[in-house]
Amino acid sequence: VVEAGEESGNLTRVLSQLGKSLEASIGFKRKIVSAMFYPAVIISVAIVAVLVFLLKIIPIFARVYASFNAELPLFTRIVMNVSEGMQKFFLIWAAAMALAVYLIRLFLKTPRGRAWFDHWILGVPLVGEIVKDAIHVRTALILSTLLEGGLNLMKTLDIAARVSGNVVYGEALRKITTEVQQGKNLGASFAKSPCFSHMMSEMITIGEESGKLAPMLEKVGNHHETRLDTTVARIGSLIEPAIIIVVGVIIGCLVVSMFLPIFNLANIVQ
């Protein structure tokens, strides 16, 4: 971006516009982190609680029930077997998970891994829509910022493709750049791409015809940012009770499995 600003002779203007865009981007990331912080805490606490239950509490019940020398309910036996397996192979499981995470991270750092992940993430329900909206926001605002700073359209599209943050959208923007170089309208090229929304292509077409492309792109970015904020807020409000319910069910099942034999204690003692 700095290089392009120097070439255009509008470095100060470009950096000023870029600063505003970065401030908006940082603010948006903070909203995402804030919305996901509480669910992340709940999930972390739930994992710790389940591990403590499996590794510490259930073995106590197992020793008590073993002294009765009686057949336990199937559900109780399953949970105890899981607990026993966790105790014996916990370090192996933990090491295997750590190794898997390490290998996955290495794979995702490769061009092939990054391309696979970028294709996959776009197809994940809800998450894919959030990612698409975020890319629309980033693309629209970077195009608006650089055009407002005086950069030519080709250089602006090239930069937008490089900072899109997603291989699929980067390829789409490079294809649009090629079509524009061949003389096609920017709005028509965006309309042909399956990656970008109909609203974005329509606003770009209006901006081209009215000579106000940068302001129109800024409106597109603001529209998708508002939509993104609404989606994140809704998901956050839904995911919190859902996580609490799931965690409650898991803990409840573990507790019930341990107290099932007590409900039939007389038979076990006999």
Side-chain angles (χ1 to χ4, degrees):
V1 174
V2 172
E3 180 184 347
E6 287 178 321
E7 291 177 1
S8 66
N10 294 307
L11 181 59
T12 303
R13 189 178 176 187
V14 168
L15 290 177
S16 176
Q17 293 293 330
L18 187 60
K20 295 178 182 178
S21 177
L22 289 174
E23 286 178 4
S25 178
I26 292 171
F28 168 71
K29 289 179 180 178
R30 285 175 179 169
K31 291 178 184 177
I32 297 290
V33 172
S34 298
M36 294 296 106
F37 178 76
Y38 182 59
V41 170
I42 295 176
I43 293 173
S44 300
V45 172
I47 292 173
V48 172
V50 171
L51 288 176
V52 169
F53 208 95
L54 288 172
L55 298 175
K56 297 296 182 181
I57 298 177
I58 291 180
I60 297 174
F61 281 90
R63 288 192 293 270
V64 172
Y65 292 146
S67 64
F68 294 141
N69 294 321
E71 185 177 359
L72 300 174
L74 176 62
F75 188 31
T76 302
R77 295 201 306 272
I78 291 173
V79 173
M80 285 185 173
N81 288 334
V82 172
S83 174
E84 185 179 355
M86 287 288 292
Q87 292 175 72
K88 289 181 178 178
F89 306 109
F90 178 74
L91 293 179
I92 296 176
W93 287 7
M97 291 180 65
L99 179 61
V101 170
Y102 175 72
L103 292 176
I104 289 172
R105 290 186 63 183
L106 283 182
F107 174 67
L108 293 179
K109 288 181 180 179
T110 65
R112 183 181 177 184
R114 177 64 185 276
W116 174 85
F117 178 80
D118 286 350
H119 279 84
W120 173 79
I121 196 70
L122 295 175
V124 177
L126 294 179
V127 176
E129 294 304 315
I130 292 176
V131 172
K132 290 175 185 177
D133 273 329
I135 295 173
H136 274 73
V137 172
R138 185 186 296 118
T139 301
L141 292 183
I142 196 68
L143 289 174
S144 172
T145 297
L146 297 180
L147 289 173
E148 192 70 29
L151 269 68
N152 65 72
L153 182 58
M154 292 299 100
K155 192 69 175 179
T156 298
L157 287 171
D158 177 62
I159 293 173
R162 282 188 280 166
V163 302
S164 64
N166 185 279
V167 171
V168 177
Y169 277 83
E171 292 175 355
L173 284 167
R174 279 186 282 273
K175 185 176 180 181
I176 289 172
T177 304
T178 302
E179 291 180 355
V180 173
Q181 287 175 334
Q182 294 172 352
K184 295 182 180 179
N185 291 334
L186 183 63
S189 298
F190 268 89
K192 284 178 59 180
S193 175
C195 294
F196 295 98
S197 66
H198 177 71
M199 180 264 189
M200 186 171 188
S201 62
E202 288 294 323
M203 293 293 283
I204 289 175
T205 300
I206 294 172
E208 283 184 302
E209 294 174 353
S210 64
K212 297 180 179 180
L213 182 56
M216 286 298 177
L217 283 166
E218 185 176 0
K219 289 182 179 180
V220 171
N222 292 336
H223 165 76
H224 281 282
E225 185 173 6
T226 302
R227 216 175 82 158
L228 192 55
D229 288 342
T230 303
T231 303
V232 170
R234 286 177 179 173
I235 292 176
S237 63
L238 290 174
I239 199 172
E240 291 174 12
I243 291 174
I244 292 174
I245 291 172
V246 171
V247 170
V249 169
I250 294 173
I251 298 296
C253 288
L254 293 176
V255 172
V256 169
S257 71
M258 291 298 98
F259 283 94
L260 271 177
I262 296 178
F263 299 150
N264 197 24
L265 185 58
N267 294 334
I268 294 178
V269 171
Q270 292 173 1

